[in-house]
Every structure is written in C-alpha cells, then in structure tokens.
Amino acid sequence: MKQLAELFQMADWKKEKHVPVIEAPVKVKKGEYFKVTVTLGKEIAHPNTTEHHIRWIEVYFHPQAEKYPYQLGRFEFTAHGESVEGSDTSTVYTHHAASFSFKTDKPGDIIASSYCNIHGLWSSSQSVEVE
Ligand code: FE2
C-alpha cells in the first residue's frame, strides 16, 4: 500500500515545469521577517487552463534537528478560465505564485509542495541559515 509521502515527485525545476521554485534568502537575520516567493514553471511554463492547472502550493519550515515541520501557508488558485459558457471562456485565471514573509531564529529547510490537477504532487526545498 502506497503512503502519501511516496507520491511526492521531485526533480530539477529547470527541466521539470511542476517543481515548486522557492525564492528566499540563503542567510537571514534572527527575528527579521524575510520574503519568500514560491512559483512554478520559471524555466518551462506550466499551462493554466480549465483542463490543466496548478490547484495549490503549500509551504512548510522544518527547523534543523527538530521532528516536526511548521506550516507557513497554503495558497489556493481557484480561477482557471471556467464559466457558464464552458471551459476556458471566462478569461479569468489565477496565476500559480505565492509570496509571503516569515521569520525564524532557527536554521532549517523551507519545503514547498504543489498539486497539478493532472500530474499530481510535487515538492522541493531550500535551506535557510540564521546569523
Ligand atoms: Fe501539469
């Protein structure tokens, strides 16, 4: 029986359009908020149509040497061109990108996950040092 963790796919975001691209400083200062942006398809664009789109991005912070991660945010993208006229008729589309700020006194990993409605779950991470 498969576990959910086994269904997360990972790859190089420069070659695979589904991988979350995390943009955050590598080094941050204790107690100071810093900006994090997570998007997809920076190198190879991911489609955004009623039939094929990114539903959500979730971001966690996992401090080094701790057991549990902290959820930083969950971002849902809920407009993908659908309307009473049918698929891809509204001209209204939410782009799959999220920006927010957080602070930490602990070094660790920012872990992002994303969900494509037809290509499933994807994940990536980036380390953060604290000075
Ligand atoms: Fe996809």
Side-chain angles (χ1 to χ4, degrees):
M1 185 176 67
K2 282 243 183 194
Q3 297 297 314
L4 183 61
E6 297 173 62
L7 299 178
F8 281 90
Q9 304 163 83
M10 281 174 262
D12 179 356
W13 65 263
K14 287 181 181 157
K15 295 182 186 144
E16 169 51 62
K17 62 180 178 278
H18 289 92
V19 178
V21 181
I22 301 166
E23 293 173 90
V26 174
K27 259 189 196 167
V28 301
K29 291 201 168 98
K30 263 185 195 176
E32 282 188 19
Y33 284 102
F34 59 95
K35 190 177 169 186
V36 177
T37 298
V38 183
T39 186
L40 278 92
K42 240 190 132 197
E43 194 74 25
I44 308 159
H46 187 279
N48 188 3
T49 64
T50 305
E51 294 79 15
H52 186 191
H53 55 260
I54 302 300
R55 290 269 171 87
W56 51 255
I57 288 173
E58 242 176 9
V59 191
Y60 294 86
F61 182 66
H62 183 222
Q64 269 172 21
E66 286 191 21
K67 183 174 179 182
Y68 302 110
Y70 298 94
Q71 187 185 34
L72 299 174
R74 180 180 168 88
F75 309 93
E76 306 231 16
F77 312 115
T78 52
H80 302 286
E82 61 276 32
S83 82
V84 293
E85 309 295 326
S87 301
D88 294 306
T89 55
S90 74
T91 76
V92 179
Y93 296 85
T94 317
H95 183 59
H96 40 261
S99 287
F100 61 96
S101 295
F102 88 102
K103 63 180 179 180
T104 175
D105 287 356
K106 301 168 181 176
D109 298 319
I110 297 170
I111 302 168
S113 57
S114 62
Y115 177 67
C116 168
N117 69 321
I118 59 178
H119 297 114
L121 295 160
W122 294 81
S123 180
S124 65
S125 60
Q126 186 196 302
S127 296
V128 174
E129 291 172 37
V130 177
E131 54 183 22

